[in-house]
Amino acid sequence: MKNFHDRGIIARYRQYLPVTDATPVVSLNEGSTPLIYSPRLSERVGRGCEIYIKYEGLNPTGSFKDRGMTMAISKAAEEGAKAVICASTGNTSAAAAAYAARAGVKCIVLLPAGKIAMGKLVQAFMYGAKVVAIDGNFDDALRLVREIGETEPISIVNSINPYRIDGQKTASFEIIEELGDAPEIHILPVGNAGNITAYWRGYVEFHAGNKSTKTPKMLGFQAAGSAPIFHNRIIDNPETVASAIRIGNPASWQLASNAIRESQGAIDIVTDIEILEAQRWLANHEGIFVEPASAASIAGLLKCVGEKTGAAFPAARFADGSKIVCTVTGHGLKDPDVAREQCGAIIPAKAEKDEILRHIA
Ligand code: F0G
């Protein structure tokens, strides 16, 4: 049998991950995503800064969750799990369902009813998960998953499962290897707060192993209506157009706060209007289409750069010539409905050359 596991993050970073020869590697060749230089964002920031976009939407299920899920499902398979469960705003459930399908284990996903982007919902179904939509939000779903995990023989694959964070830290390794060092600043959207925790862990580990000369300042951006860490209190009814980060009580709250403090970074908020503007701007100017939650990192960078925005980390604090990485976490096609609402009118035309030329003049 051919070994197809020579790619994927476990193959690439095996020595930094808690796997052994007894771990059956469940992989879809995730990771090794492009780090794309952005000339127009670099121009907007100025002062010789270089902006790079880590395009995690190019993972197998269209989001960064695949990095964590290859680890969580591989370990669940090693432990003989017959079923896995997660709460999700959509991307974790898509990844869990796909990797569970590949491992041949049952997958149950708990979703907040009516609040999942269409692309993500159909992924869970197509990968064969049992889809349960609760009349509550993500925080309620995660509480229920924890309760179910206490009594039932089902493995939890949310980021409270430490293997998830271990897998996700590999994005930092890739960035360091590509840039030749860590960047000065790293910007991320923050929801359940696992990813900023994971990136920080990756940066700290590679720095400790002399693979980089420094660690970046971590800047996290929450949606203004779902910003528990920024406001330092649980938000009971979180709201935002960026459904992926519609979370009021993040599981990795404390770890994310530590990452931000230790890195001398900051937590800040962006409004839904800023998020959607950044989403359109990135697609229009750099040809990179991301889902709304992912655009929070771009909106965040633009908030730092803008005047009188009240940014927690204004660009005046960027050193000249800084390398800045923005992670865009999920593909734009995940959420066609929010994107469609922003599109202009389609031009109807007869199938005639002259008429078409009139329209496009
Ligand atoms: N961006 C996207 C596209 C996400 O799906 C998520 C989280 C985040 C950012 C925030 O990352 O939670 O590690 O701070 N999505 C989870 C899910 C909650 O269920 O798919 P985080």
Side-chain angles (χ1 to χ4, degrees), residues 83-102:
V84 297
I85 189 168
C86 66
S88 183
T89 57
N91 281 323
T92 297
S93 48
Y99 285 78
R102 196 153 170 95

Side-chain angles (χ1 to χ4, degrees), residues 64-65 87-92 138 189-195 244-245 247 291 293-294 329-330:
F64 71 98
K65 302 289 182 179
S88 183
T89 57
N91 281 323
T92 297
F138 170 84
V190 174
N192 212 24
N195 211 27
I245 52 173
I247 294 174
E291 67 168 288
S294 309
T329 43

Side-chain angles (χ1 to χ4, degrees), residues 62-65 86-94 110-111 116 120 138 158-159 164-165 168 188-198 221-222 229 243-247 250 252 256 291-296 327-331 334:
S63 88
F64 71 98
K65 302 289 182 179
C86 66
S88 183
T89 57
N91 281 323
T92 297
S93 48
L110 250 59
L111 310 175
I116 303 297
K120 305 174 189 181
F138 170 84
N158 279 107
S159 56
R164 283 274 314 279
I165 305 284
Q168 286 171 210
L188 284 154
V190 174
N192 212 24
N195 211 27
I196 194 167
T197 301
F221 284 87
Q222 299 190 296
I229 301 179
S243 57
I245 52 173
R246 185 173 166 273
I247 294 174
S252 299
E291 67 168 288
S294 309
T327 296
V328 291
T329 43
H331 202 286
K334 289 270 194 178

Side-chain angles (χ1 to χ4, degrees), residues 184-187 196 200 215-221 256-268 304 311-314 317-318:
E184 272 70 25
I185 292 172
H186 194 116
I187 306 184
I196 194 167
W200 179 240
T215 54
K217 295 179 168 40
M218 305 298 294
L219 306 189
F221 284 87
S257 297
N258 295 349
I260 290 159
R261 195 188 56 250
E262 287 166 19
S263 75
Q264 300 174 321
I267 186 83
D268 202 348
C304 296
F313 200 102
R317 290 177 61 190
F318 299 173

Side-chain angles (χ1 to χ4, degrees), residues 18-309:
V19 291
T20 67
D21 291 346
T23 314
V25 176
V26 182
S27 172
L28 290 163
N29 294 358
E30 61 294 315
S32 303
T33 55
L35 184 68
I36 304 170
Y37 174 66
S38 170
R40 293 195 177 83
L41 280 174
S42 303
E43 200 176 294
R44 280 185 80 163
V45 175
R47 299 194 354 253
C49 291
E50 294 174 17
I51 318 303
Y52 295 86
I53 294 170
K54 182 67 168 164
Y55 194 12
E56 288 287 279
L58 292 196
N59 275 296
T61 76
S63 88
F64 71 98
K65 302 289 182 179
D66 296 339
R67 294 179 185 273
M69 211 51 79
T70 182
M71 276 301 300
I73 300 287
S74 295
K75 294 302 281 189
E78 179 179 345
E79 289 153 16
K82 297 280 178 284
V84 297
I85 189 168
C86 66
S88 183
T89 57
N91 281 323
T92 297
S93 48
Y99 285 78
R102 196 153 170 95
V105 305
K106 182 176 172 184
C107 179
I108 303 134
V109 304
L110 250 59
L111 310 175
K115 299 292 183 183
I116 303 297
M118 188 52 70
K120 305 174 189 181
L121 189 62
V122 299
Q123 281 182 294
F125 279 108
M126 289 305 293
Y127 296 132
K130 211 170 248 328
V131 178
V132 182
I134 63 157
D135 62 345
N137 60 30
F138 170 84
D139 303 295
D140 298 317
L142 185 57
R143 175 176 49 76
L144 288 161
V145 160
R146 288 182 200 263
E147 286 175 21
I148 291 165
E150 275 170 23
T151 58
E152 308 305 312
I154 306 178
S155 294
I156 299 175
V157 293
N158 279 107
S159 56
I160 53 177
N161 175 332
Y163 299 125
R164 283 274 314 279
I165 305 284
D166 273 323
Q168 286 171 210
K169 75 185 177 189
T170 57
S172 298
F173 298 167
E174 291 175 13
I175 291 165
I176 289 170
E177 287 179 350
E178 206 141 345
L179 294 178
D181 201 345
E184 272 70 25
I185 292 172
H186 194 116
I187 306 184
L188 284 154
V190 174
N192 212 24
N195 211 27
I196 194 167
T197 301
Y199 270 82
W200 179 240
R201 187 174 300 171
Y203 281 126
V204 167
E205 275 187 30
F206 257 28
H207 184 241
N210 292 319
K211 296 252 188 192
S212 65
T213 66
K214 55 183 177 272
T215 54
K217 295 179 168 40
M218 305 298 294
L219 306 189
F221 284 87
Q222 299 190 296
S226 304
I229 301 179
F230 178 78
H231 292 299
N232 199 25
R233 64 180 161 83
I234 293 170
I235 306 295
D236 288 326
N237 294 303
E239 274 311 336
T240 170
V241 69
S243 57
I245 52 173
R246 185 173 166 273
I247 294 174
N249 187 12
S252 299
W253 190 325
Q254 199 52 53
L255 292 169
S257 297
N258 295 349
I260 290 159
R261 195 188 56 250
E262 287 166 19
S263 75
Q264 300 174 321
I267 186 83
D268 202 348
I269 52 173
V270 283
T271 65
D272 282 3
I273 290 171
E274 290 169 327
I275 286 171
L276 294 179
E277 270 176 14
Q279 185 193 23
R280 283 194 307 274
W281 190 90
L282 192 66
N284 265 266
H285 292 86
E286 299 286 19
I288 299 173
F289 182 27
V290 303
E291 67 168 288
S294 309
S297 60
I298 306 301
L301 174 67
L302 297 177
K303 180 173 182 179
C304 296
V305 170
E307 284 170 22
K308 297 191 183 137
T309 56

